[in-house]
Every structure is written in structure tokens, then in C-alpha cells.
Amino acid sequence: MTLTDIEADEDVAVRTGATVYVCITCRRPDDPEDAERPGLALARATAEAAGGTGVSVCQVQCLANCSRSLSAAMRCDGSWTYVFGGLEPGRDAEALIEGARLLARAEDGIPALAADAPRS
């Protein structure tokens, strides 16, 4: 289910600098050291999910959230920065973009998770 209007959000996301930062060095403790990093897979999936939304996806080396990897963060100009952990590439890439679009629409930098959610 998509909570936002993608056509309207593209302009808002660009104007507000909506960006998702994905740690590409993230891995789980049981992942082999020489295997491709799951964080990189999450970054690629998130970039694909961002297509046509106006949300930028930036690969970063570390978000200092290693105990909760895989990790990503999102922010817009004038908003809080939100950091997320325990992510999965196939499950959470689209949710990160949806969250960034909601954040871009929030006038106070705090996204409502539902149309009727109280704002305080």
C-alpha cells in the first residue's frame, strides 16, 4: 500500500532534499567476511525503489549503528534525521523510500504515519 501520491511527492522530495543514506559496509555477525555486503544489496534495492520518486539514495561507509545492521537513515532539509536498523534488502527498500516521501511532506520534519495521526 502506498500512502503518498507519487506525482506530487516527486516535486516535494526534490525541493526538500529528501535523501536516504544506506550503509554499504553493513553485514550481519554470521556473514562471511569475504562475501558481498548485504548493506550494498540494500543500497542497490533502495536506489531501484527510488526510481521516479525524487528521493535521492546515497551510499555511505558507516552509520555507527553496527549492532542493529543493516542500517539506513533518512533526512530532508530542515527535518530530523531518522536512523533505522534491522533492515532487509528485499523487505525494506520500498519502505525506506515511502518513509522519505512522508518525511518530505511533513512541514515540521516529523512524518505522520497515517492521515489521521495526531501531530504534537
Side-chain angles (χ1 to χ4, degrees), residues 81 83 97 117:
T81 299
V83 179
I97 299 305

Side-chain angles (χ1 to χ4, degrees), residues 13 17-24 42-47 49-50 53-60 63 71-76 81-84 87 92-104:
T19 304
V20 175
Y21 300 89
V22 182
C23 175
I24 61 170
L42 177 61
R44 289 176 179 155
T46 304
T53 65
V55 175
S56 298
V57 177
C58 183
Q59 297 180 5
V60 296
L63 290 169
S71 297
M74 67 181 67
R75 69 166 305 279
C76 291
T81 299
Y82 296 88
V83 179
F84 301 91
L87 303 172
D92 298 314
E94 288 184 16
L96 287 168
I97 299 305
E98 185 69 18
R101 290 167 57 206
L102 288 168
L103 183 59

